[in-house]
Amino acid sequence: MSYFHETIWKGVPKFLRRVDTALKNIGINERIPYSAPVIQFSSWMGGDRDGNPRVTPEVTRDVCLLARMMAANLYFSQIEDLMFELSMWRCSDELRACVDELLRSSKSDAKHYIEFWKQVPPNEPYRVILGDVRDKLYNTRERARQLLANGTSEVPEETTFTNVEQFLEPLELCYRSLCACGDQPVADGSLLDFLRQVSTFGLSLVRLDIRQESDRHTDVMDAITKHLEIGSYREWSEERRQQWLLSELSGKRPLFGPDLLKTEEITDVLETFHVIAELPSDSFGAYIISMATTASDVLAVELLQRECHVKQPLRVVPLFEKLADLEAAPAAVSCLFSIDWYRNRINGKQEVMIGYSDSGKDAGRLSAAWALYKAQEELIKVAKKFGVKLTMFHGRGGTVGRGGGPTHLAILSQPPDTIHGSLRVTVQGEVIEQSFGEEHLCFRTLQRFTAATLEHGMHPPVSPKPEWRALMDEMAVIATKEYRSIVFQEPRFVEYFRSATPELEYGRMNIGSRPSKRKPSGGIESLRAIPWIFAWTQTRFHLPVWLGFGGAFKHVIEKDPKNLQMLRDMYNQWPFFRVTLDLVEMVFAKGDPGIAALYDNLLVSKELLPFGESLKSKYEETKSLLLQVAGHKDLLEGDPYLKQRLRIRDSHITTLNVLQAYTLKRIRNPDYNVNLKPHLSKDYAESTKPAAELVKLNPKSEYAPGLEDTLILTMKGIAAGMQNTG
């Protein structure tokens, strides 16, 4: 929330002014209409359940009310500035009639306003109109505050703004009146900025997306069909599920009453829908189904929305994540679009989300990137066939292993025809600070997204040649095979991963916003993508990013040496392939197998050391093959600026790595001692306090004093040093 408050709120109108200026500079004397927001924001904070037990229906409700209260407060603090500016008496007849009506019906209630503003003179018409807006904003804020604190409010709803149209109406009236009286430069000042803020942020500040796993909806449906004594939904075929869901969606009977047998999980799902039904519809964005695979996953959510009396149902967005799901996505979406009921419901618009993190964890970066590329192409074809406008929602992480990378390049490397002037992208928790932490960063981020989206539409990237596609298909099969043979099939891998990286400690510390695993008992497949990537980043080995590339390159080059030239052509002519390889090259420039060897020697058992060595030789082989394909002698030779920045950082990160490796050794082996002479300041050395008293940093830690804090500081420092640059 603080990012909206500190930078985005003022950043959006400032950015739109820059766009207006850019248009003027090329001879277009029209402003971007405030009624068509260029950029809109949604959030998952407090709505993303996906395996997170801490996000309860109560949390969702509180987050929405808090956002509404903040929005009203931000508008309220600006409305008096606007009243101060618009002191003129000349106005249009339309505005004068509205002022007369307000003066006739107004009750004098000066609230807690500054003395200067308690009485608005009737001969200052704009101030009269804006004074009424101010009163309603005051009530809107107070109502949200009371609902948040007590669950009830004494402020009557009719004295507040309940929808954004009500809020825009008086502001638009002032704008029209100023233009009619020849005061357009005044109208295009703070008032235009204010109108743009209202159009962008509405009354809810930021719309909340709800995300839940498809399995949880299946559990609810299963409980309902058993309650109705018509069988087990879980065991039905996809065809039977669709048939039943559609017959219920077409009918009107309620499916269950209070006597439905509910587990804690089922209650949680249904309560979430009740919260959606209870709160104003503009509080919410999309309902995202993670691990979606079939059309029935979407229809089940539609039915639950109707069953829980959601008056304006949220748009339902399937999220396809794993390799097999991405391959099956076009067929699932085609099946959805061929259902008449569903086509009528969506009104020609559909959003589909694709997951970069889990696909990378499932199949490796090369295969995942190619699967995501092909899935988008196929989904667009399906949408065109049914006449539906498809918006792709890119679930990118901050790190390269989770689909991250420089925004501009990432957008420009998308397949042709997949953006069409609109796309949605996640800005994940680990990179919000570097995208929106300060005003100039916020401005640059908005600029990058807008510029790249426009450029993609005006100069679409080239489509790959058929022979390039065939080679990519062949490489993807080999890459997936090599990746899975090590990550999922090698019996020593899990033990090595847990010893050689800080993954276990990371999961136990109070550092993440949700549990590190979806299911506490599972192995690598249930581990979330963030700790999976994060753990390897800490040791500078970055295994999830590069594993699979080397095997794929080696296979196709050995099969036919001419393929090396084809790979070079692909690198030079095809933006998607170039960006994919450049990002891996950047990761190699940040990696250091020598540091990974230090972790191995300190933390890994003797039996597993040879396995670690074999992975390091794969690392070196992949690096030399990558340079060969890119036609580079050294890493980052095409980007000396970045190379220099990484060189400056290196000594700092290496120091943190050494500290972290020894700290992990002490945590895992309490008897291990390192003879270090700490450098203490003169004040500390002369103080009479015992050392134990000086190290009361985290009294709740299960580790020896200071160790957990050292670990967290090194983790954050290394993560910052490894962050994507460029």
Side-chain angles (χ1 to χ4, degrees), residues 334 380-388:
S334 177
I380 289 291
K381 280 182 197 162
V382 169
K384 275 187 179 165
K385 182 182 156 193
F386 287 96
V388 173

Side-chain angles (χ1 to χ4, degrees), residues 26-27 170 261 272 278 293 403 436 456 512 682:
I26 56 165
L261 286 172
T272 302
E278 169 205 343
T293 51
F436 294 101
H456 189 283
K682 200 174 169 203

Side-chain angles (χ1 to χ4, degrees), residues 468 471 553 557 561-574 577-578 581 624-633:
W468 297 353
L471 196 63
F553 288 149
I557 293 168
K562 285 183 193 158
N563 282 336
L564 179 58
Q565 188 51 49
M566 198 196 292
L567 287 168
R568 283 182 176 166
D569 292 344
M570 287 159 70
Y571 179 79
N572 291 322
Q573 295 168 35
W574 184 18
F577 193 68
R578 187 185 189 103
L581 264 57
S624 70
L625 282 162
L626 181 79
L627 289 171
Q628 216 180 324
V629 169
H632 295 166
K633 288 189 181 68

Side-chain angles (χ1 to χ4, degrees), residues 13-23 25 196 443 447:
K14 196 181 275 186
F15 170 68
L16 292 174
R17 286 194 167 281
R18 177 72 190 84
V19 177
D20 286 343
T21 310
L23 290 172
N25 290 345
R196 283 174 165 172
F443 188 89
Q447 191 168 302

Side-chain angles (χ1 to χ4, degrees), residues 427-685:
V427 180
Q428 297 282 12
E430 73 266 38
V431 287
I432 291 181
E433 176 67 32
Q434 75 184 55
S435 300
F436 294 101
E438 292 173 36
E439 267 190 44
H440 71 102
L441 293 175
C442 171
F443 188 89
R444 279 214 328 246
T445 301
L446 298 178
Q447 191 168 302
R448 268 194 208 115
F449 276 113
T450 310
T453 307
L454 281 169
E455 198 176 328
H456 189 283
M458 293 162 138
H459 308 290
V462 296
S463 282
K465 295 176 182 173
E467 59 269 29
W468 297 353
R469 283 180 182 279
L471 196 63
M472 273 305 289
D473 284 337
E474 195 176 334
M475 282 165 59
V477 171
I478 302 296
T480 306
K481 197 172 167 187
E482 178 177 76
Y483 177 87
R484 287 180 175 168
S485 71
I486 287 173
V487 174
F488 297 113
Q489 288 149 17
E490 165 59 65
R492 296 171 295 175
F493 181 77
V494 174
E495 195 188 337
Y496 173 76
F497 167 57
R498 300 228 152 114
S499 314
T501 70
E503 186 263 325
L504 286 171
E505 288 76 11
Y506 174 61
R508 272 152 65 184
M509 288 188 303
N510 189 20
I511 197 173
S513 61
R514 54 188 179 180
S516 60
K517 287 186 168 188
R518 280 194 168 93
K519 296 181 178 73
S521 56
I524 299 290
E525 67 289 340
S526 75
L527 188 70
R528 286 193 174 279
I530 297 179
W532 164 242
I533 299 285
F534 192 96
W536 288 110
T537 304
Q538 291 291 300
T539 65
R540 311 271 290 277
F541 198 48
H542 306 286
L543 175 130
V545 181
W546 57 262
L547 185 59
F549 275 85
F553 288 149
K554 194 175 172 183
H555 168 82
V556 295
I557 293 168
E558 282 177 0
K559 183 180 164 192
D560 182 353
K562 285 183 193 158
N563 282 336
L564 179 58
Q565 188 51 49
M566 198 196 292
L567 287 168
R568 283 182 176 166
D569 292 344
M570 287 159 70
Y571 179 79
N572 291 322
Q573 295 168 35
W574 184 18
F576 160 77
F577 193 68
R578 187 185 189 103
V579 168
T580 305
L581 264 57
D582 282 352
L583 288 175
V584 180
E585 190 177 326
M586 177 178 77
V587 168
F588 274 127
K590 293 177 180 179
D592 188 336
I595 295 289
L598 170 72
Y599 282 79
D600 277 13
N601 295 332
L602 281 173
L603 306 168
V604 172
S605 65
K606 280 199 175 78
E607 303 80 67
L608 289 172
L609 283 174
F611 178 61
E613 285 306 316
S614 71
L615 287 176
K616 283 175 198 62
S617 64
K618 266 188 195 301
Y619 176 100
E620 294 297 349
E621 182 183 42
T622 304
K623 183 164 83 173
S624 70
L625 282 162
L626 181 79
L627 289 171
Q628 216 180 324
V629 169
H632 295 166
K633 288 189 181 68
D634 286 321
L635 290 170
L636 293 183
E637 68 175 42
D639 194 345
Y641 174 62
L642 177 58
K643 199 172 183 177
Q644 173 67 6
R645 285 170 70 177
L646 293 182
R647 195 176 289 144
I648 291 167
R649 268 188 231 185
D650 195 58
S651 56
H652 302 281
I653 306 173
T654 301
T655 308
L656 291 170
N657 279 125
V658 173
L659 276 169
Q660 187 182 84
Y662 278 100
T663 304
L664 286 167
K665 178 77 173 171
R666 288 183 67 189
I667 281 174
R668 293 177 190 180
N669 182 0
D671 302 328
Y672 179 79
N673 276 312
V674 191
N675 290 322
L676 295 172
K677 288 189 178 172
H679 171 77
L680 292 176
S681 70
K682 200 174 169 203
D683 301 343
Y684 270 159

